């Protein structure tokens, strides 16, 4: 990697970063922990779901032909031979002139070919007397209200193929097949190291001139949100030796993220440490906020190589740069195929200036009215104003070659609160 300060586009930076990122190995995970992970095995059904024909309603299992001509004025009275609840097998067989009381989910007794729901019988008008007979008040068709064995999943069927992302419904399917564990691509562990002499940890007293370390927490939350496991590594002082020691501590991870120390002021310290420990590139990315960015590969133990993403220090810049660079790296490690941020087209409700030829990511509130998206800014856009990020549900993207967008213009908006696509 060349040690140069190139001015590059967001896409170039993304491509370079992703070229150093690989899909991680697989692991066995408890199904609930696998939410959002990529399936690493094919799941075939060891049995059918449902396993037996069963009732879709509370009612009476009957022979459909016994209900022919049934109506309010012409009830068909059948002898009740027993009842069956969900979880039990029916004892007895339904034949001509008989019926079995049945609950939703209970297996259909042999002989029966339909279920007459309670509301089509005189069940509700009855006294709580032993039920010897039931009047059917409406015809039922053959097969009515019966869920067929295997109608959801047939034995031997490929139910979930490797490569899909596990959402709640897929986790439910795994459980319905009796699987408590599943093989998935493991989650990346992301080390998060804040840098700066002005920072203090939560719980410490805030001396004059100091600020709390908020970046580590917003970044860790972003890591977790996109499926990674954050590991907080604390704060490194703006000195060579301390930064070096903290980075060494943090090399047992799949990727290291640092915040701050990459802008012109203190950039040299970080650069020297990183250059000594691995390969490093410093870039100026044509974006706003989040211009300074460092990316490199650190030498861990043995021949271990740890990608390192050095984000800017301003709280909004670090979050937006994470969205553009950290998020795709995590999704790639997780085995996702698509790491494009979900995007909509919206009508802008106020102008945005773009004076210095960078791609602007403006914090915006996106609303939908009459089927159309509209976007307005969250107020002052300073890169230290974290509340402007907190109000936003989207980032309006103004291209680098567009000096101004006007109210009424159509713009692309990256949605911050939409789920990931696999
Ligand atoms: P720097 O990149 O070191 O020049 O920092 C840019 C700005 O971000 C400064 O105002 C820092 O105080 C602020 N900053 C840096 N790190 C953090 C952090 N972990 N939490 C909150 N603010 C930070
Ligand atoms: Mg600093």
């Amino acid at each position: 990697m060349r040690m140069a300060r190139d001015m590059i586009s967001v896409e170039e930076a993304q491509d370079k970063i992703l070229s150093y990122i690989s899909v991680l190995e697989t692991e066995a995970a408890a199904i609930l922990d696998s939410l959002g992970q990529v399936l690493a095995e094919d799941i075939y059904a060891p049995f059918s779901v449902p396993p037996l024909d069963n009732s879709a309603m509370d009612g009476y299992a009957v022979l459909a032909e016994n209900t022919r001509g049934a109506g309010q004025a012409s009830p068909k009275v059948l002898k009740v031979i027993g009842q069956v609840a969900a979880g039990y097998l029916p004892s007895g067989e339904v034949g001509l002139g008989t019926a079995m009381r049945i609950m939703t989910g209970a297996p259909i007794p042999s002989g029966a070919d339909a279920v007459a729901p309670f509301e089509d019988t005189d069940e509700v008008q009855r006294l709580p007397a032993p039920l010897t007979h039931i009047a059917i008040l409406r015809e039922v068709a053959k097969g009515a209200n019966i869920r067929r064995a295997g109608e959801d999943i047939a034995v031997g069927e490929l139910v979930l193929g490797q490569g899909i992302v596990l959402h709640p419904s897929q986790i439910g399917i795994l459980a319905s097949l009796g699987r408590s564990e599943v093989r998935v691509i493991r989650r990346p562990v992301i080390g998060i190291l804040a840098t700066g002499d002005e920072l203090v940890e939560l719980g410490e007293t805030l001396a004059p001139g100091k600020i709390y370390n908020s970046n580590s927490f917003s970044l860790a939350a972003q890591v977790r949100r996109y499926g990674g496991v954050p590991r907080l590594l604390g704060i490194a002082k703006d000195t060579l030796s301390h930064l070096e020691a903290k980075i060494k501590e943090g090399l047992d991870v799949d990727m290291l993220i640092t915040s701050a120390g990459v802008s012109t002021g203190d950039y040299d310290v970080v650069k020297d440490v990183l250059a000594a420990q691995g390969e490093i590139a410093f870039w100026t990315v044509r974006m706003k906020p989040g211009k300074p960015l460092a990316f490199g590969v650190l030498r861990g133990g043995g021949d271990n190589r740890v990608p390192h993403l050095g984000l800017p220090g301003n709280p909004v810049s670090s979050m937006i740069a994470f969205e553009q660079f950290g998020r795709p790296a995590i999704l790639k490690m997780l085995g996702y195929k698509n790491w494009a941020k979900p995007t909509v087209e919206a009508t802008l409700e106020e102008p945005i200036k773009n004076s210095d030829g960078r791609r602007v990511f403006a914090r915006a509130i996106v609303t939908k009215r009459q089927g159309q998206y509209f976007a307005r800014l969250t107020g002052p856009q300073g890169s230290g104003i974290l509340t402007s990020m907190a109000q936003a549900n989207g980032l309006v993207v103004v291209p680098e070659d567009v000096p101004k967008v006007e109210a009424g213009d159509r713009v692309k908006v990256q949605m911050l609160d939409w789920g990931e696509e696999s």
Side-chain angles (χ1 to χ4, degrees), residues 122-137:
D122 66 346
E123 161 101 15
V124 280
Q125 305 150 25
R126 283 165 173 265
L127 299 171
L131 211 76
T132 58
H133 289 81
I134 187 75
I136 310 291
L137 305 173

Side-chain angles (χ1 to χ4, degrees), residues 67-95:
T67 69
R68 207 159 301 144
Q72 291 289 340
S74 53
K76 299 287 171 187
V77 178
L78 301 173
K79 181 171 187 268
V80 177
I81 59 160
Q83 65 171 336
V84 59
Y88 298 91
L89 292 177
S91 53
E93 206 171 304
V94 170

Side-chain angles (χ1 to χ4, degrees), residues 195-199 238 259-263 265-267 313:
T195 71
D197 285 353
E198 74 276 36
L199 302 176
D238 287 325
S259 79
V262 284
S263 51
D266 40 17
Y267 148 131

Side-chain angles (χ1 to χ4, degrees), residues 27-361:
E27 64 176 4
I31 56 171
L32 190 50
D33 297 334
S34 72
L35 180 64
Q37 281 177 284
V38 170
L39 185 62
E41 62 172 317
D42 285 333
I43 305 286
Y44 290 93
F47 46 77
S48 291
V49 181
L52 299 171
D53 289 356
N54 68 92
S55 182
M57 300 283 278
D58 295 329
Y60 286 84
V62 296
L63 266 167
E65 64 176 275
N66 280 176
T67 69
R68 207 159 301 144
Q72 291 289 340
S74 53
K76 299 287 171 187
V77 178
L78 301 173
K79 181 171 187 268
V80 177
I81 59 160
Q83 65 171 336
V84 59
Y88 298 91
L89 292 177
S91 53
E93 206 171 304
V94 170
L96 282 178
T98 68
M100 191 183 286
R101 202 163 177 264
I102 191 166
M103 300 301 129
T104 303
I108 301 293
S110 62
D113 61 13
V115 171
F118 282 161
E119 49 271 42
D120 293 341
T121 71
D122 66 346
E123 161 101 15
V124 280
Q125 305 150 25
R126 283 165 173 265
L127 299 171
L131 211 76
T132 58
H133 289 81
I134 187 75
I136 310 291
L137 305 173
R138 188 200 269 210
E139 275 191 19
V140 284
K142 209 172 163 171
N145 303 313
I146 293 180
R147 301 192 286 222
R148 291 292 168 201
E151 76 170 22
D152 189 358
I153 297 168
V155 60
E157 183 187 327
L158 174 65
V159 194
L160 303 171
Q162 54 174 293
I164 64 154
V165 173
L166 296 171
H167 297 298
S169 54
Q170 280 85 26
I171 287 172
I173 286 173
L174 289 167
S176 75
L177 297 175
R179 293 289 301 260
S180 57
E181 277 199 350
V182 70
R183 190 144 279 280
V184 288
I185 298 172
R186 75 172 173 86
R187 296 182 187 280
V189 176
I190 310 293
I192 296 172
L193 178 62
T195 71
D197 285 353
E198 74 276 36
L199 302 176
V200 298
E201 290 290 18
L202 305 186
E204 288 173 12
T205 342
L206 204 58
K210 305 287 182 187
I211 59 171
Y212 282 121
N213 165 22
S214 64
N215 287 354
S216 288
F217 293 89
S218 46
L219 289 169
Q222 285 177 301
V223 165
R224 189 175 283 175
R225 188 198 152 171
Y226 295 124
V229 178
R231 184 178 296 166
L232 294 177
L233 301 170
I235 300 168
K237 299 275 174 213
D238 287 325
T239 63
L240 264 168
S241 58
H242 196 239
L243 184 59
E244 201 160 39
K246 291 302 276 184
I247 284 177
K248 280 216 174 95
E249 257 175 49
L251 287 182
D252 185 22
V253 292
D254 297 301
M255 182 165 75
L256 175 67
I257 291 182
T258 56
S259 79
V262 284
S263 51
T264 16
D266 40 17
Y267 148 131
D268 278 340
V269 179
V270 177
K271 184 191 74 176
D272 291 347
V273 172
L274 296 178
Q277 295 200 10
E279 307 163 76
I280 181 80
F282 279 88
W283 301 327
T284 305
V285 182
R286 215 170 286 128
M287 66 186 275
K288 187 183 181 174
K291 180 168 69 166
L293 184 78
F295 180 76
V297 182
L298 300 165
R299 281 188 290 274
D303 50 8
N304 193 17
R305 295 276 179 279
V306 182
H308 165 246
L309 183 60
L311 300 177
N314 277 308
V316 173
S317 313
S318 75
M319 288 194 76
I320 291 181
F322 179 91
E323 286 290 338
Q324 310 309 317
F325 308 113
R327 174 185 167 279
I330 289 176
L331 294 182
K332 183 170 180 185
M333 285 189 262
L334 276 169
Y336 279 60
K337 301 284 183 302
N338 178 13
W339 41 77
K341 195 75 192 151
T343 297
V344 299
E345 269 213 356
T347 303
L348 200 58
E349 295 184 291
E350 59 189 293
I352 303 175
K353 271 203 189 131
N354 180 13
S355 43
D356 49 2
R358 291 191 270 156
R359 187 175 312 174
V360 173
F361 294 94

